[in-house]
């Protein structure tokens, strides 16, 4: 199984990117997890959206379409999804034969607060219901107090979270 991992954070020391890298390291041998890159996706502007999408959008859409499943790890900003993640989803939703439709999708996230990313994940679920993704309901993965569960190099140090 080939899984495309998308981090909702561009930050170099992102807990969410670290969480996805940890998942890749813990995945069964029959599963590969490849990390997507959102750095080149421009801000969505309907005035410039047309049949030709920016290269970074086309590339991400193709990667989503080619993957057997998608795994998203989102931070929580102001009780919701990060702008960079929502922007990428908005662009992808406008690709012909929208690639999230029917795609198995897992959601998780890490944040400094005690609830992890529960509210952001709820909002993502609402978005992906509209986009007709096949959202995995359980297990739920809310990593709270992430600063205490990762070391300075982004390695997960908490055995319970790893389980």
């Amino acid at each position: 199984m080939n899984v495309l991992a998308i981090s909702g954070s561009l930050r170099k020391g992102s807990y969410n990117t670290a969480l996805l890298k940890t998942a890749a390291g813990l995945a069964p041998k029959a599963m590969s997890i490849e990390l997507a890159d959102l750095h080149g996706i421009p801000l969505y502007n309907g005035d410039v959206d047309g049949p030709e999408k920016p290269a970074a959008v086309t590339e991400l859409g193709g990667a989503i379409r080619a993957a057997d499943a998608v795994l998203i790890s989102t931070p929580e900003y102001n009780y919701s999804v990060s702008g960079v993640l929502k922007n990428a989803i908005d662009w992808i939703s406008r690709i012909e034969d929208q690639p999230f439709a029917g795609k198995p999708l897992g959601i998780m996230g890490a944040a400094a607060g005690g609830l992890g990313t529960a509210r952001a994940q709820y909002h993502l679920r609402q978005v992906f219901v509209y986009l007709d993704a096949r959202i995995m309901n359980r297990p739920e993965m809310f990593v709270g107090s992430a600063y205490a569960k990762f070391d300075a190099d982004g390695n997960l140090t908490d055995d319970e979270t790893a389980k």
Side-chain angles (χ1 to χ4, degrees), residues 2 61-68 103:
N2 297 311
I64 292 166
R65 190 170 277 119
D68 296 314
K103 186 67 61 177

Side-chain angles (χ1 to χ4, degrees), residues 50-110:
E52 298 265 336
K53 307 292 186 228
V57 173
T58 302
E59 184 178 318
L60 180 60
I64 292 166
R65 190 170 277 119
D68 296 314
V70 173
L71 177 60
I72 293 176
S73 188
T74 183
E76 183 169 297
Y77 296 158
N78 301 312
Y79 287 10
S80 193
V81 179
S82 70
V84 69
L85 179 58
K86 182 64 167 73
N87 180 65
I89 293 167
D90 288 346
W91 268 112
I92 298 304
S93 73
R94 284 154 175 85
I95 293 176
E96 189 171 329
D97 298 321
Q98 192 270 112
F100 283 120
K103 186 67 61 177
L105 180 90
I107 300 171
M108 63 182 181

Side-chain angles (χ1 to χ4, degrees), residues 2-76:
N2 297 311
V3 178
L4 182 67
I6 300 173
S7 175
S9 176
L10 299 177
R11 188 171 67 85
K12 184 178 178 183
S14 166
Y15 296 125
N16 287 284
T17 302
L19 190 59
L20 290 169
K21 289 177 179 179
T22 299
L26 295 173
K29 290 184 187 227
M31 178 184 289
S32 69
I33 299 178
E34 178 186 337
L35 191 60
D37 184 6
L38 302 185
H39 283 86
I41 297 180
L43 291 174
Y44 181 78
N45 179 344
D47 290 339
V48 297
D49 185 10
E52 298 265 336
K53 307 292 186 228
V57 173
T58 302
E59 184 178 318
L60 180 60
I64 292 166
R65 190 170 277 119
D68 296 314
V70 173
L71 177 60
I72 293 176
S73 188
T74 183
E76 183 169 297

